[in-house]
Amino acid sequence: MIEGNREVAGDAALGVAVSAVVAVAVTMDLGGHRAPDAAAYAFVAGLGALMLVRRRFPVLALVATATGLLAYYAAGYPPIGLALPVAAALYSAAEAGRLMVASAVAAALVVVSTTFRLRDGEDPGYLLGFELASTLGLMVAAIALGAAVRATRLLRAEQRRSADLAAAEREHEAGRRVQEERLRIARDLHDVLGHTIAVISVQADVAREALDGDPEAARSALAVIRRAGDDAIGELRGTLGLLRDQGGGEGRAPAASLRHLDPLVAAATAGGLAVELATEGEAAPLPAVVDGAACRIVQEALTNCLRHAGASRAEVRLRYERDRLRVTVSDDGRGADLTAGPAGRGLTGMRERAALLGGRVVVTSRPGAGFRVEASLPLVARR
């Protein structure tokens, strides 16, 4: 609303200026067959009034100005020049993007005016040598100024549009990162709780079978269940702290890492699974995302051994190569026919983790031959 009021005020001021300048030229009465009268000054007022519609109807304002100017001269009023009365209308048409129309009208005015004035006997040397150059110069300047203002306005609009698109892209990217982080947290929570529940389930069976005949074994199994429950509660609290702490400070859950494999192996061993951990090659610092993904893959594989494989032994092998880390987890369980149905969420999660880093996970098994999980993770995480 304010911008609209400013435009109206600006157009009114321009109209007053045009009328004032042309009125001075009319009042000077530099010759002509007819002295200035009310009709001449009505023409002056009309030129100024056309500036009020120049934005909505730029071509109409230009054509009306040119037509009025020709009618003014045809009536024999004193000369007021050609370019001066029509300059504002030429500027407005060019500013509105009607460059060809403005140029055509200017050329037509020059041709018609020059033809009639030569026919009336005016001095060709003065008319063609001096006045024509100044008239064309003023007309070209008005058209060029209008075109430049339009180009500047379009450039600024494009810059604003680009800035808006960039802001929208940044917002979209931030939203995508939030979703990825939520997905990562959900996967981590699934892995931790799945592993903990598997340990609790196995130990609950041990406690139930040993409750009457071997109270000591039952107490040991219940102690393992208690520790597993405490670990799960700690993980949940850490995850809630992570969700609350958007700034990444205090309360953030510790990231999964191969440095934490010993507690995983101990929990699996307490669940009745004998785990052998072996490392090949020279252990090197890993990118955090690769380190975390490798740890979660091992955790998910051991959980599978406890919950589904019916295994008594498992082997975890880490092999450090020049450009990648290979993780292999195998067991001596009953195995399964992986072609018989869709992969479980755990196997799918392992594959997705590796794929996000530019790696891959291959799971092989057959009935009676156990499971074998082979993961290949690049040491430089894919961006």
Side-chain angles (χ1 to χ4, degrees):
M1 187 66 178
I2 295 177
E3 184 66 25
N5 292 335
R6 288 178 179 174
E7 290 181 354
V8 172
D11 291 343
L14 179 61
V16 171
V18 169
S19 295
V21 171
V22 178
V24 170
V26 171
T27 304
M28 290 175 66
D29 193 5
L30 299 178
H33 304 295
R34 185 176 177 182
D37 55 16
Y41 288 104
F43 163 76
V44 171
L47 284 182
L50 286 174
M51 294 300 98
L52 297 176
V53 299
R54 71 182 189 90
R55 295 181 189 273
R56 295 183 59 189
F57 308 105
V59 175
L60 174 63
L62 176 60
V63 172
T65 299
T67 303
L69 185 60
L70 292 176
Y72 175 88
Y73 277 114
Y77 287 116
I80 55 175
L82 184 63
L84 187 63
V86 82
L90 289 174
Y91 165 83
S92 300
E95 183 190 18
R98 304 290 187 167
L99 190 61
M100 296 301 297
V101 175
S103 301
V105 170
L109 276 176
V110 170
V111 170
V112 172
S113 173
T114 303
T115 300
F116 276 93
R117 293 174 69 181
L118 287 174
R119 189 190 65 178
D120 289 342
E122 292 193 26
D123 182 13
Y126 172 80
L127 185 61
L128 300 178
F130 174 75
E131 187 172 334
L132 182 61
S134 60
T135 297
L136 288 176
L138 185 56
M139 286 182 166
V140 169
I143 294 174
L145 180 59
V149 170
R150 175 178 174 80
T152 301
R153 183 184 299 121
L154 292 177
L155 178 60
R156 289 176 178 172
E158 179 63 24
Q159 290 174 340
R160 286 195 297 269
R161 189 179 71 87
S162 299
D164 291 342
L165 288 176
E169 181 64 24
R170 288 193 296 270
E171 185 176 352
H172 174 74
E173 178 66 15
R176 185 186 66 81
R177 290 182 180 276
V178 169
Q179 292 299 324
E180 287 183 354
E181 180 66 10
R182 288 175 177 172
L183 181 59
R184 184 192 69 79
I185 293 172
R187 285 173 174 163
D188 286 352
L189 201 56
H190 168 269
D191 294 344
V192 170
L193 293 181
H195 181 79
T196 302
I197 291 171
V199 171
I200 290 174
S201 178
V202 171
Q203 292 300 321
D205 288 339
V206 171
R208 183 187 61 190
E209 294 174 359
L211 189 59
D212 296 327
D214 191 351
E216 185 61 31
R219 282 193 292 270
S220 177
L222 291 174
V224 171
I225 291 174
R226 175 61 182 270
R227 286 198 302 271
D230 290 343
D231 291 343
I233 291 173
E235 189 74 24
L236 284 172
R237 286 175 176 169
T239 301
L240 290 176
L242 174 62
L243 292 174
R244 292 192 187 101
D245 180 22
Q246 299 299 324
E250 186 178 342
R252 181 175 291 276
S257 170
L258 292 177
R259 297 189 301 271
H260 305 152
L261 278 187
D262 288 341
L264 290 178
V265 171
T269 301
L273 181 67
V275 180
E276 177 185 350
L277 179 60
T279 301
E280 298 178 0
E282 183 178 354
L286 300 173
V289 288
V290 176
D291 192 14
C295 179
R296 293 309 190 192
I297 288 172
V298 172
Q299 185 180 47
E300 183 61 39
L302 291 178
T303 300
N304 181 69
C305 294
L306 286 168
R307 297 182 64 181
H308 307 298
S312 60
R313 298 185 61 82
E315 179 185 38
V316 178
R317 188 172 298 275
L318 306 177
R319 181 179 176 183
Y320 291 86
E321 298 181 354
R322 184 178 60 85
D323 60 346
R324 64 186 51 247
L325 171 68
R326 298 188 185 275
V327 180
T328 305
V329 182
S330 56
D331 63 59
D332 63 353
R334 55 179 174 267
D337 183 5
L338 296 180
T339 64
R345 292 182 180 178
L347 298 181
T348 301
M350 286 191 287
R351 291 183 177 125
E352 289 177 350
R353 286 179 186 277
L356 286 173
L357 302 175
R360 65 191 184 97
V361 169
V362 176
V363 181
T364 56
S365 179
R366 65 176 188 274
F371 278 87
R372 182 179 179 87
V373 176
E374 298 176 281
S376 174
L377 305 175
L379 295 186
V380 177
R382 184 174 65 184
R383 292 186 181 275

